[in-house]
Amino acid sequence: MTACAGAGKGAVQGAAGGAVAGAAGGLISSLIFGGDPGEGALRGAAVGATVGGVSGAIKGSQEAKAQKQKKYAARERDIEQYRRDIGDDAFNGAVALAECKHEVAIANANIASQSTNSNHALSGLWLKALTYADQGNNAATRAMYPEIIRWDRAVDSEAETEATLQNVLRELKQIRVEYRLPKICN
């Protein structure tokens, strides 16, 4: 009985953390690979919640480990795909941004934007602009637009970049609300 209770608590905590990570990764991934940012975030959140929940349950109960191993492995591959798509630095920065850790997000975005992998570098550029926008730093956000337009073939004007960024910013705030994080950071 105690093991099951531990598994449940661990599953809830793991699901919450995994969902935020998955949602944040899915959000940035949608910027790079197209698609609706909300759908990318929701898909990522579902994957992340499952991985996190299973991971938490495994910590709480050895029996859960045996029962959930196959499901966990499949979901873990999905999360790892997000990481590969946008790179570890952008993925970790997106999670930090969702958690209102702007300095960490910017540091990760700076590293990602220097990547030799063009998708990772572009993820870093978008993440940096999104972080500035979340901070309300309009001048720094707009200063990112020419570089994003230069590297992202999906946008070809500042107006389009701004619209995309504002859409993703709304989705980021929604992710925070859904996972009981502050909608607007201090």
Side-chain angles (χ1 to χ4, degrees):
M1 188 80 146
T2 303
C4 289
K9 183 178 180 185
V12 169
Q13 291 171 340
V20 170
L27 189 65
I28 299 299
S29 180
S30 71
L31 281 169
I32 308 309
F33 298 102
D36 180 81
E39 288 177 19
L42 289 173
R43 187 177 62 247
V47 170
T50 302
V51 171
V54 172
S55 171
I58 288 171
K59 290 177 185 173
S61 168
Q62 289 299 348
E63 291 176 11
K65 182 177 181 179
Q67 296 172 355
K68 305 287 183 176
Q69 194 62 35
K70 286 184 181 180
K71 190 173 186 179
Y72 174 78
R75 300 301 188 201
E76 185 66 25
R77 283 190 300 272
D78 290 340
I79 288 282
E80 287 307 310
Q81 186 62 51
Y82 285 125
R83 281 187 178 275
R84 283 190 301 276
D85 287 348
I86 67 173
D88 286 335
D89 295 309
F91 185 90
N92 293 335
V95 173
L97 178 57
E99 296 173 347
C100 295
K101 298 175 183 174
H102 291 114
E103 287 128 21
V104 175
I106 291 290
N108 278 285
N110 284 332
I111 294 168
S113 66
Q114 299 302 311
S115 176
T116 57
N117 179 309
S118 61
N119 289 331
H120 298 183
L122 184 56
S123 296
L125 292 174
W126 275 109
L127 176 62
K128 192 171 183 178
L130 183 61
T131 303
Y132 287 145
D134 190 50
Q135 290 176 312
N137 189 340
N138 295 329
T141 303
R142 286 189 183 98
M144 296 293 304
Y145 292 174
E147 193 72 7
I148 290 171
I149 293 166
R150 178 178 172 209
W151 293 105
D152 191 338
R153 294 182 181 153
V155 294
D156 54 11
S157 70
E158 288 192 11
E160 191 174 357
T161 305
E162 171 75 20
T164 300
L165 193 60
Q166 289 305 313
N167 185 32
V168 173
L169 186 59
R170 279 190 298 279
E171 294 296 333
L172 172 65
K173 290 176 181 179
Q174 186 59 39
I175 288 167
R176 289 179 179 149
V177 168
E178 289 175 23
Y179 296 101
R180 294 184 174 98
L181 297 168
K183 180 178 181 178
I184 299 173
C185 303
N186 295 332

Coordinates of all heavy atoms in Angstrom, one line a residue, residues 89-175:
D89 N 20.4 22.6 -25.9 CA 20.5 23.9 -25.3 C 19.2 24.7 -25.5 O 18.7 25.3 -24.6 CB 21.6 24.7 -26.0 CG 23.0 24.1 -25.6 OD1 23.3 23.9 -24.5 OD2 23.8 23.8 -26.6
A90 N 18.6 24.6 -26.7 CA 17.3 25.3 -26.9 C 16.2 24.6 -26.1 O 15.3 25.3 -25.5 CB 16.9 25.3 -28.4
F91 N 16.2 23.3 -26.0 CA 15.2 22.5 -25.2 C 15.3 22.9 -23.8 O 14.3 23.3 -23.2 CB 15.5 21.0 -25.4 CG 14.4 20.2 -24.7 CD1 13.3 19.8 -25.4 CD2 14.5 19.8 -23.4 CE1 12.3 19.0 -24.8 CE2 13.6 19.0 -22.8 CZ 12.4 18.6 -23.5
N92 N 16.5 22.9 -23.2 CA 16.7 23.3 -21.8 C 16.3 24.8 -21.6 O 15.7 25.1 -20.6 CB 18.1 23.0 -21.3 CG 18.4 21.6 -21.3 OD1 17.5 20.7 -21.2 ND2 19.7 21.2 -21.4
G93 N 16.6 25.6 -22.6 CA 16.3 27.0 -22.5 C 14.8 27.2 -22.5 O 14.2 28.1 -21.8
A94 N 14.1 26.4 -23.3 CA 12.6 26.5 -23.4 C 12.0 26.1 -22.1 O 11.0 26.8 -21.6 CB 12.1 25.7 -24.6
V95 N 12.5 25.1 -21.5 CA 12.0 24.7 -20.2 C 12.2 25.8 -19.2 O 11.3 26.2 -18.4 CB 12.6 23.4 -19.7 CG1 12.2 23.0 -18.3 CG2 12.2 22.2 -20.7
A96 N 13.4 26.4 -19.2 CA 13.8 27.5 -18.3 C 12.8 28.6 -18.5 O 12.4 29.3 -17.5 CB 15.2 27.9 -18.4
L97 N 12.5 29.0 -19.7 CA 11.6 30.1 -20.0 C 10.2 29.8 -19.5 O 9.6 30.7 -18.9 CB 11.6 30.3 -21.5 CG 10.6 31.4 -22.0 CD1 11.0 32.8 -21.3 CD2 10.7 31.6 -23.5
A98 N 9.7 28.6 -19.7 CA 8.4 28.3 -19.1 C 8.4 28.4 -17.6 O 7.4 28.8 -17.0 CB 8.1 26.8 -19.5
E99 N 9.5 28.2 -17.0 CA 9.6 28.3 -15.5 C 10.1 29.7 -15.1 O 10.4 29.9 -13.9 CB 10.6 27.3 -15.0 CG 10.1 25.9 -15.2 CD 11.1 24.8 -14.8 OE1 12.3 25.1 -14.6 OE2 10.7 23.6 -14.8
C100 N 10.1 30.7 -16.0 CA 10.4 32.1 -15.7 C 11.9 32.3 -15.3 O 12.2 33.3 -14.7 CB 9.5 32.7 -14.6 SG 7.8 32.8 -15.1
K101 N 12.7 31.5 -15.8 CA 14.1 31.6 -15.6 C 14.8 32.2 -16.8 O 15.4 31.6 -17.6 CB 14.8 30.2 -15.2 CG 14.2 29.6 -14.0 CD 14.7 28.2 -13.8 CE 14.1 27.5 -12.6 NZ 14.5 26.1 -12.4
H102 N 14.5 33.5 -16.9 CA 14.9 34.2 -18.2 C 16.4 34.2 -18.4 O 16.9 34.0 -19.6 CB 14.4 35.7 -18.1 CG 13.0 35.8 -18.3 ND1 12.2 36.2 -17.2 CD2 12.1 35.4 -19.3 CE1 10.9 36.2 -17.6 NE2 10.9 35.7 -18.9
E103 N 17.2 34.4 -17.4 CA 18.7 34.4 -17.6 C 19.2 33.0 -18.1 O 20.1 33.0 -19.0 CB 19.4 34.8 -16.3 CG 19.3 36.2 -15.9 CD 18.8 36.5 -14.5 OE1 18.9 35.5 -13.7 OE2 18.3 37.6 -14.2
V104 N 18.6 32.0 -17.5 CA 19.0 30.6 -18.0 C 18.6 30.4 -19.4 O 19.3 29.9 -20.3 CB 18.4 29.6 -17.1 CG1 18.7 28.2 -17.6 CG2 18.9 29.7 -15.6
A105 N 17.4 30.9 -19.8 CA 16.8 30.8 -21.1 C 17.7 31.5 -22.1 O 18.1 31.0 -23.2 CB 15.4 31.3 -21.2
I106 N 18.1 32.7 -21.8 CA 19.0 33.5 -22.7 C 20.3 32.9 -22.8 O 20.9 32.8 -23.9 CB 19.1 35.0 -22.1 CG1 17.8 35.7 -22.3 CG2 20.3 35.7 -22.8 CD1 17.4 36.1 -23.7
A107 N 20.9 32.4 -21.7 CA 22.2 31.7 -21.8 C 22.1 30.5 -22.7 O 23.0 30.3 -23.6 CB 22.7 31.3 -20.4
N108 N 21.1 29.7 -22.6 CA 20.9 28.5 -23.4 C 20.7 28.9 -24.9 O 21.2 28.3 -25.8 CB 19.8 27.6 -22.9 CG 20.2 26.7 -21.8 OD1 20.9 25.7 -22.1 ND2 19.9 27.0 -20.6
A109 N 19.9 30.0 -25.1 CA 19.6 30.5 -26.4 C 20.9 31.0 -27.1 O 21.1 30.7 -28.3 CB 18.6 31.6 -26.4
N110 N 21.7 31.6 -26.4 CA 23.0 32.1 -26.9 C 23.9 30.9 -27.4 O 24.5 31.0 -28.5 CB 23.8 33.0 -25.9 CG 23.2 34.4 -25.8 OD1 22.6 34.9 -26.7 ND2 23.3 35.0 -24.6
I111 N 23.9 29.9 -26.6 CA 24.7 28.7 -26.9 C 24.1 28.0 -28.2 O 24.8 27.7 -29.1 CB 24.8 27.7 -25.7 CG1 25.7 28.4 -24.6 CG2 25.5 26.4 -26.2 CD1 25.6 27.6 -23.3
A112 N 22.8 27.9 -28.1 CA 22.1 27.2 -29.2 C 22.3 27.9 -30.5 O 22.5 27.3 -31.6 CB 20.6 27.0 -28.9
S113 N 22.2 29.3 -30.5 CA 22.3 30.1 -31.7 C 23.6 30.0 -32.3 O 23.8 30.4 -33.5 CB 21.9 31.5 -31.4 OG 22.8 32.1 -30.6
Q114 N 24.6 29.5 -31.6 CA 26.0 29.4 -32.2 C 26.2 28.0 -32.7 O 27.3 27.7 -33.2 CB 27.0 29.7 -31.1 CG 26.9 31.1 -30.6 CD 27.1 32.1 -31.7 OE1 28.0 32.1 -32.5 NE2 26.2 33.1 -31.7
S115 N 25.2 27.1 -32.7 CA 25.4 25.7 -33.1 C 25.7 25.7 -34.6 O 25.3 26.5 -35.4 CB 24.1 25.0 -32.8 OG 24.2 23.6 -33.3
T116 N 26.4 24.6 -35.0 CA 26.7 24.4 -36.4 C 25.5 23.7 -37.1 O 25.4 23.7 -38.3 CB 27.9 23.5 -36.6 OG1 27.8 22.3 -35.9 CG2 29.2 24.3 -36.1
N117 N 24.6 23.2 -36.3 CA 23.3 22.6 -36.8 C 22.3 23.8 -37.0 O 22.0 24.5 -36.1 CB 22.8 21.6 -35.8 CG 21.5 21.0 -36.2 OD1 20.5 21.6 -36.6 ND2 21.4 19.6 -36.2
S118 N 21.9 24.0 -38.2 CA 21.1 25.1 -38.5 C 19.8 25.1 -37.8 O 19.3 26.2 -37.4 CB 20.9 25.3 -40.0 OG 20.2 24.1 -40.5
N119 N 19.1 24.0 -37.6 CA 17.9 23.9 -36.8 C 18.1 24.3 -35.4 O 17.3 25.0 -34.8 CB 17.3 22.5 -36.9 CG 16.7 22.2 -38.3 OD1 16.3 23.1 -39.0 ND2 16.7 21.0 -38.6
H120 N 19.2 23.9 -34.8 CA 19.5 24.2 -33.4 C 19.8 25.7 -33.3 O 19.3 26.4 -32.3 CB 20.7 23.4 -32.9 CG 20.4 21.9 -32.9 ND1 21.4 21.0 -32.4 CD2 19.4 21.2 -33.3 CE1 20.9 19.8 -32.5 NE2 19.7 19.9 -33.0
A121 N 20.5 26.2 -34.2 CA 20.9 27.7 -34.2 C 19.6 28.5 -34.4 O 19.4 29.5 -33.6 CB 21.9 28.0 -35.3
L122 N 18.7 28.1 -35.3 CA 17.5 28.8 -35.5 C 16.6 28.7 -34.2 O 16.0 29.7 -33.8 CB 16.7 28.3 -36.7 CG 15.5 29.1 -37.1 CD1 15.7 30.5 -37.3 CD2 14.9 28.4 -38.3
S123 N 16.6 27.6 -33.6 CA 15.8 27.4 -32.3 C 16.4 28.4 -31.3 O 15.6 29.0 -30.6 CB 16.0 26.0 -31.8 OG 15.4 25.1 -32.7
G124 N 17.7 28.6 -31.2 CA 18.3 29.5 -30.3 C 17.8 30.9 -30.6 O 17.6 31.7 -29.7
L125 N 17.8 31.3 -31.8 CA 17.4 32.7 -32.2 C 15.9 32.9 -31.8 O 15.6 34.0 -31.2 CB 17.5 32.9 -33.7 CG 19.0 33.0 -34.2 CD1 18.9 33.0 -35.8 CD2 19.7 34.1 -33.7
W126 N 15.0 32.0 -32.1 CA 13.6 32.1 -31.7 C 13.5 32.2 -30.2 O 12.7 33.0 -29.7 CB 12.8 31.0 -32.3 CG 12.3 31.3 -33.7 CD1 12.8 30.6 -34.9 CD2 11.3 32.2 -34.2 NE1 12.1 31.1 -36.0 CE2 11.2 32.1 -35.6 CE3 10.5 33.1 -33.5 CZ2 10.3 32.8 -36.3 CZ3 9.6 33.9 -34.3 CH2 9.5 33.7 -35.6
L127 N 14.2 31.3 -29.5 CA 14.1 31.2 -28.1 C 14.6 32.5 -27.5 O 13.9 33.1 -26.5 CB 14.9 30.1 -27.5 CG 15.0 30.0 -26.0 CD1 13.7 29.7 -25.4 CD2 16.0 28.8 -25.6
K128 N 15.6 33.1 -28.0 CA 16.1 34.4 -27.5 C 15.1 35.5 -27.7 O 14.8 36.3 -26.8 CB 17.4 34.7 -28.1 CG 18.2 35.9 -27.5 CD 19.6 36.0 -28.1 CE 20.4 37.1 -27.5 NZ 21.7 37.2 -28.0
A129 N 14.5 35.6 -28.9 CA 13.5 36.6 -29.2 C 12.3 36.4 -28.3 O 11.7 37.3 -27.7 CB 13.1 36.5 -30.6
L130 N 11.9 35.1 -28.1 CA 10.7 34.8 -27.3 C 11.0 35.2 -25.8 O 10.1 35.7 -25.1 CB 10.4 33.3 -27.4 CG 9.1 32.8 -26.6 CD1 7.9 33.5 -27.1 CD2 9.0 31.3 -26.8
T131 N 12.2 35.0 -25.3 CA 12.5 35.3 -24.0 C 12.5 36.8 -23.8 O 11.9 37.4 -22.8 CB 13.9 34.8 -23.6 OG1 13.9 33.4 -23.8 CG2 14.3 35.1 -22.2
Y132 N 13.1 37.6 -24.7 CA 13.0 39.0 -24.7 C 11.6 39.5 -24.7 O 11.2 40.4 -23.9 CB 13.8 39.7 -25.8 CG 15.3 39.6 -25.7 CD1 16.0 39.4 -26.9 CD2 15.9 39.7 -24.5 CE1 17.4 39.4 -26.8 CE2 17.3 39.6 -24.4 CZ 18.1 39.5 -25.6 OH 19.4 39.4 -25.5
A133 N 10.8 38.9 -25.6 CA 9.3 39.3 -25.6 C 8.6 39.0 -24.3 O 7.8 39.9 -23.8 CB 8.6 38.6 -26.8
D134 N 8.9 37.9 -23.7 CA 8.3 37.6 -22.4 C 8.7 38.5 -21.3 O 8.0 38.8 -20.4 CB 8.7 36.1 -22.0 CG 7.9 35.6 -20.9 OD1 6.7 35.7 -20.9 OD2 8.6 35.1 -19.9
Q135 N 9.9 39.1 -21.4 CA 10.4 40.0 -20.5 C 9.8 41.4 -20.7 O 10.0 42.4 -19.9 CB 11.9 40.1 -20.5 CG 12.6 38.9 -20.0 CD 14.2 39.0 -20.1 OE1 14.7 39.4 -21.2 NE2 14.9 38.8 -19.0
G136 N 9.2 41.6 -21.9 CA 8.7 42.9 -22.3 C 9.8 43.9 -22.8 O 9.6 45.1 -22.9
N137 N 10.9 43.3 -23.3 CA 12.0 44.0 -23.8 C 11.8 44.1 -25.3 O 12.4 43.4 -26.1 CB 13.3 43.4 -23.5 CG 14.5 44.2 -23.8 OD1 14.4 45.1 -24.7 ND2 15.6 43.9 -23.3
N138 N 10.9 45.1 -25.7 CA 10.5 45.2 -27.1 C 11.7 45.6 -28.0 O 11.8 45.1 -29.2 CB 9.4 46.3 -27.3 CG 8.2 45.8 -26.6 OD1 7.9 44.6 -26.5 ND2 7.4 46.8 -26.1
A139 N 12.6 46.4 -27.6 CA 13.8 46.8 -28.4 C 14.7 45.6 -28.7 O 15.1 45.4 -29.9 CB 14.6 47.9 -27.7
A140 N 14.9 44.8 -27.7 CA 15.8 43.6 -27.9 C 15.1 42.6 -28.8 O 15.7 41.9 -29.6 CB 16.2 43.0 -26.6
T141 N 13.8 42.5 -28.6 CA 13.0 41.5 -29.4 C 13.0 41.9 -30.8 O 13.4 41.1 -31.7 CB 11.5 41.5 -28.9 OG1 11.4 41.2 -27.5 CG2 10.7 40.5 -29.7
R142 N 12.8 43.2 -31.1 CA 12.8 43.6 -32.5 C 14.2 43.6 -33.2 O 14.3 43.4 -34.4 CB 12.2 45.0 -32.6 CG 10.7 45.1 -32.4 CD 10.1 46.4 -32.7 NE 8.7 46.4 -32.5 CZ 8.1 46.8 -31.4 NH1 8.8 47.3 -30.4 NH2 6.8 46.7 -31.2
A143 N 15.2 43.7 -32.3 CA 16.6 43.6 -32.8 C 16.9 42.2 -33.3 O 17.8 42.1 -34.2 CB 17.5 44.1 -31.8
M144 N 16.1 41.2 -32.9 CA 16.3 39.9 -33.3 C 15.7 39.6 -34.7 O 16.1 38.6 -35.3 CB 15.7 38.9 -32.3 CG 16.4 38.9 -30.9 SD 18.0 38.3 -30.9 CE 17.9 36.7 -31.6
Y145 N 14.7 40.3 -35.1 CA 13.9 40.1 -36.3 C 14.8 39.9 -37.5 O 14.6 38.9 -38.3 CB 12.9 41.1 -36.5 CG 11.7 41.1 -35.5 CD1 10.8 42.1 -35.5 CD2 11.6 40.1 -34.5 CE1 9.7 42.1 -34.6 CE2 10.6 40.2 -33.6 CZ 9.7 41.1 -33.6 OH 8.6 41.2 -32.7
P146 N 15.7 40.8 -37.8 CA 16.5 40.6 -39.1 C 17.3 39.3 -39.1 O 17.3 38.6 -40.2 CB 17.5 41.8 -39.1 CG 16.8 42.8 -38.2 CD 16.1 42.1 -37.2
E147 N 17.8 38.9 -38.0 CA 18.6 37.6 -37.9 C 17.6 36.4 -38.1 O 17.9 35.5 -38.8 CB 19.3 37.5 -36.6 CG 20.4 36.4 -36.6 CD 21.6 36.7 -37.4 OE1 21.7 37.9 -37.9 OE2 22.4 35.8 -37.6
I148 N 16.5 36.5 -37.5 CA 15.5 35.4 -37.7 C 15.0 35.3 -39.1 O 15.0 34.2 -39.7 CB 14.3 35.6 -36.7 CG1 14.7 35.4 -35.3 CG2 13.1 34.7 -37.1 CD1 13.7 35.7 -34.2
I149 N 14.7 36.5 -39.7 CA 14.3 36.5 -41.1 C 15.4 36.0 -42.0 O 15.1 35.2 -43.0 CB 13.9 37.9 -41.5 CG1 12.6 38.3 -40.7 CG2 13.6 38.0 -43.0 CD1 12.3 39.8 -40.8
R150 N 16.6 36.3 -41.7 CA 17.7 35.8 -42.5 C 17.8 34.3 -42.5 O 18.1 33.7 -43.6 CB 19.0 36.4 -42.0 CG 20.3 36.0 -42.7 CD 21.5 36.6 -42.1 NE 22.7 36.1 -42.7 CZ 23.8 36.0 -42.1 NH1 24.0 36.5 -40.9 NH2 24.8 35.4 -42.7
W151 N 17.6 33.7 -41.4 CA 17.8 32.2 -41.3 C 16.5 31.4 -41.4 O 16.6 30.2 -41.7 CB 18.5 31.9 -40.0 CG 19.9 32.4 -40.0 CD1 20.3 33.5 -39.3 CD2 21.0 31.9 -40.7 NE1 21.7 33.8 -39.6 CE2 22.1 32.8 -40.4 CE3 21.2 30.9 -41.6 CZ2 23.4 32.6 -41.0 CZ3 22.4 30.7 -42.1 CH2 23.5 31.5 -41.8
D152 N 15.4 32.0 -41.1 CA 14.1 31.2 -41.1 C 13.4 31.4 -42.4 O 12.8 32.5 -42.6 CB 13.2 31.5 -39.9 CG 12.1 30.6 -39.7 OD1 11.7 29.9 -40.7 OD2 11.6 30.5 -38.6
R153 N 13.3 30.4 -43.2 CA 12.7 30.6 -44.6 C 11.1 30.6 -44.4 O 10.5 31.0 -45.4 CB 13.0 29.4 -45.4 CG 14.5 29.4 -45.8 CD 14.9 28.3 -46.7 NE 16.3 28.4 -47.0 CZ 17.1 27.4 -47.3 NH1 16.6 26.2 -47.4 NH2 18.4 27.5 -47.5
A154 N 10.6 30.4 -43.3 CA 9.1 30.4 -43.1 C 8.6 31.8 -42.8 O 7.4 32.0 -43.0 CB 8.7 29.5 -41.9
V155 N 9.5 32.7 -42.5 CA 9.1 34.1 -42.3 C 9.9 35.0 -43.2 O 11.1 34.8 -43.4 CB 9.2 34.6 -40.8 CG1 8.3 33.8 -39.9 CG2 10.6 34.4 -40.3
D156 N 9.2 36.0 -43.8 CA 10.0 36.9 -44.7 C 9.8 38.4 -44.5 O 10.1 39.2 -45.3 CB 9.7 36.5 -46.2 CG 8.2 36.5 -46.5 OD1 7.4 37.0 -45.7 OD2 7.9 36.1 -47.6
S157 N 9.2 38.7 -43.3 CA 9.0 40.1 -43.0 C 9.0 40.3 -41.5 O 8.7 39.3 -40.7 CB 7.7 40.7 -43.6 OG 6.6 40.1 -42.9
E158 N 9.2 41.5 -41.0 CA 9.2 41.7 -39.6 C 7.8 41.6 -39.1 O 7.6 41.1 -38.0 CB 9.7 43.1 -39.3 CG 11.2 43.2 -39.5 CD 11.9 44.5 -38.9 OE1 11.2 45.2 -38.2 OE2 13.1 44.7 -39.2
A159 N 6.8 42.0 -39.9 CA 5.4 41.8 -39.4 C 5.0 40.3 -39.2 O 4.4 40.0 -38.2 CB 4.5 42.4 -40.5
E160 N 5.5 39.5 -40.1 CA 5.2 38.1 -40.0 C 6.0 37.5 -38.8 O 5.4 36.6 -38.1 CB 5.6 37.4 -41.3 CG 5.2 35.9 -41.4 CD 5.5 35.3 -42.7 OE1 6.0 36.0 -43.6 OE2 5.2 34.1 -42.9
T161 N 7.2 37.9 -38.6 CA 8.0 37.4 -37.5 C 7.3 37.9 -36.2 O 7.2 37.1 -35.2 CB 9.4 38.0 -37.5 OG1 10.0 37.6 -38.8 CG2 10.3 37.5 -36.4
E162 N 6.9 39.1 -36.1 CA 6.2 39.6 -34.9 C 4.9 38.8 -34.6 O 4.6 38.5 -33.5 CB 5.8 41.1 -35.1 CG 4.9 41.7 -34.1 CD 5.6 42.0 -32.8 OE1 6.9 42.1 -32.7 OE2 4.9 42.1 -31.7
A163 N 4.1 38.6 -35.7 CA 2.8 37.8 -35.5 C 3.1 36.4 -35.0 O 2.4 36.0 -34.1 CB 2.1 37.8 -36.8
T164 N 4.1 35.8 -35.5 CA 4.5 34.4 -35.1 C 4.9 34.4 -33.7 O 4.5 33.6 -32.8 CB 5.6 33.8 -36.0 OG1 5.1 33.8 -37.4 CG2 6.0 32.5 -35.6
L165 N 5.8 35.4 -33.3 CA 6.3 35.5 -32.0 C 5.2 35.8 -31.0 O 5.1 35.2 -29.9 CB 7.4 36.6 -31.9 CG 8.2 36.6 -30.7 CD1 9.0 35.3 -30.5 CD2 9.2 37.8 -30.8
Q166 N 4.3 36.6 -31.3 CA 3.2 36.9 -30.4 C 2.2 35.7 -30.2 O 1.8 35.5 -29.1 CB 2.4 38.2 -30.9 CG 3.1 39.5 -30.8 CD 3.6 39.7 -29.3 OE1 2.9 39.6 -28.4 NE2 4.9 40.1 -29.2
N167 N 2.0 35.0 -31.2 CA 1.2 33.8 -31.1 C 1.9 32.8 -30.2 O 1.2 32.2 -29.3 CB 1.0 33.1 -32.5 CG 0.1 32.0 -32.5 OD1 -0.9 31.9 -31.7 ND2 0.3 31.0 -33.4
V168 N 3.2 32.6 -30.3 CA 3.9 31.6 -29.5 C 4.0 32.2 -28.1 O 3.9 31.4 -27.1 CB 5.3 31.4 -30.1 CG1 6.2 30.5 -29.1 CG2 5.2 30.7 -31.4
L169 N 4.1 33.5 -27.9 CA 4.1 34.0 -26.5 C 2.8 33.8 -25.8 O 2.8 33.4 -24.6 CB 4.4 35.5 -26.6 CG 4.6 36.3 -25.3 CD1 5.7 35.7 -24.5 CD2 4.9 37.7 -25.5
R170 N 1.7 33.9 -26.5 CA 0.4 33.6 -26.0 C 0.3 32.1 -25.5 O -0.2 31.8 -24.5 CB -0.8 33.9 -26.9 CG -1.2 35.4 -27.0 CD -2.4 35.6 -27.8 NE -2.3 35.2 -29.2 CZ -1.8 35.9 -30.1 NH1 -1.3 37.1 -29.8 NH2 -1.7 35.5 -31.4
E171 N 0.8 31.2 -26.4 CA 0.8 29.8 -26.1 C 1.7 29.5 -24.9 O 1.4 28.7 -24.0 CB 1.3 29.0 -27.3 CG 0.3 29.0 -28.5 CD -1.0 28.4 -28.2 OE1 -1.1 27.5 -27.3 OE2 -2.0 28.8 -28.8
L172 N 2.9 30.2 -24.8 CA 3.7 30.0 -23.6 C 3.0 30.4 -22.3 O 3.1 29.7 -21.3 CB 5.0 30.9 -23.8 CG 5.9 31.0 -22.6 CD1 6.5 29.6 -22.3 CD2 7.0 32.0 -22.8
K173 N 2.3 31.5 -22.3 CA 1.6 31.9 -21.2 C 0.5 30.9 -20.8 O 0.2 30.7 -19.6 CB 1.0 33.3 -21.4 CG 2.1 34.4 -21.4 CD 1.6 35.8 -21.6 CE 2.8 36.8 -21.7 NZ 2.3 38.1 -21.9
Q174 N -0.1 30.4 -21.8 CA -1.2 29.4 -21.6 C -0.6 28.1 -21.0 O -1.2 27.5 -20.1 CB -1.9 29.0 -22.9 CG -3.1 28.1 -22.7 CD -4.1 28.7 -21.8 OE1 -4.4 29.9 -21.8 NE2 -4.7 27.8 -20.9
I175 N 0.6 27.7 -21.4 CA 1.3 26.6 -20.8 C 1.5 26.8 -19.3 O 1.3 26.0 -18.5 CB 2.6 26.3 -21.5 CG1 2.4 25.7 -22.9 CG2 3.5 25.4 -20.7 CD1 3.7 25.7 -23.8

